[in-house]
Amino acid sequence: MTRTLHSIMCAAMLTVVATALPVSAQQQKKADNSHSAAEIKKDVADHRAMAEAHLAAAKCLEGGKPEKECRAQLARDCKGLAIGKYCGMQHRH
């Protein structure tokens, strides 16, 4: 391939990529904002419920109860709310 043809092809590819990026960003923004008011209200309630469950777990640990017992209560409080056995949140241990 000649150097000129290569330069033209590279410029064409960059143009395609550059024009596609804003469309993708707009599509992503639209997808991120596609939740209905009811869905957003449920998400807020779920996050509050998860926060309460984590607060209860912290209080359990502060009260001197065994970690195993506090995690079991966290699992019960978060059932159906979050992904994973730590209610959607796991930190370093």
Side-chain angles (χ1 to χ4, degrees):
M1 186 178 323
T2 67
R3 189 165 181 80
T4 305
L5 181 57
H6 180 34
S7 297
I8 292 170
M9 288 179 66
C10 285
M13 287 175 27
L14 285 173
T15 301
V16 169
V17 170
T19 56
L21 286 176
V23 172
S24 296
Q26 288 173 350
Q27 288 172 341
Q28 183 61 41
K29 185 176 180 184
K30 187 180 278 188
D32 289 344
N33 293 329
S34 64
H35 294 291
S36 69
E39 290 170 321
I40 291 170
K41 190 174 181 177
K42 183 178 179 339
D43 285 347
V44 169
D46 288 348
H47 279 288
R48 288 184 193 277
M50 285 184 270
E52 287 296 323
H54 280 279
L55 184 58
K59 288 178 180 178
C60 179
L61 291 170
E62 285 176 334
K65 293 183 181 176
E67 187 174 357
K68 187 175 182 176
E69 183 180 328
C70 296
R71 284 191 178 180
Q73 183 62 48
L74 178 63
R76 287 190 296 276
D77 292 345
C78 278
K79 189 170 180 127
L81 285 176
I83 297 171
K85 62 182 181 177
Y86 299 110
C87 195
M89 184 172 129
Q90 184 176 7
H91 52 89
R92 296 175 303 273
H93 261 255

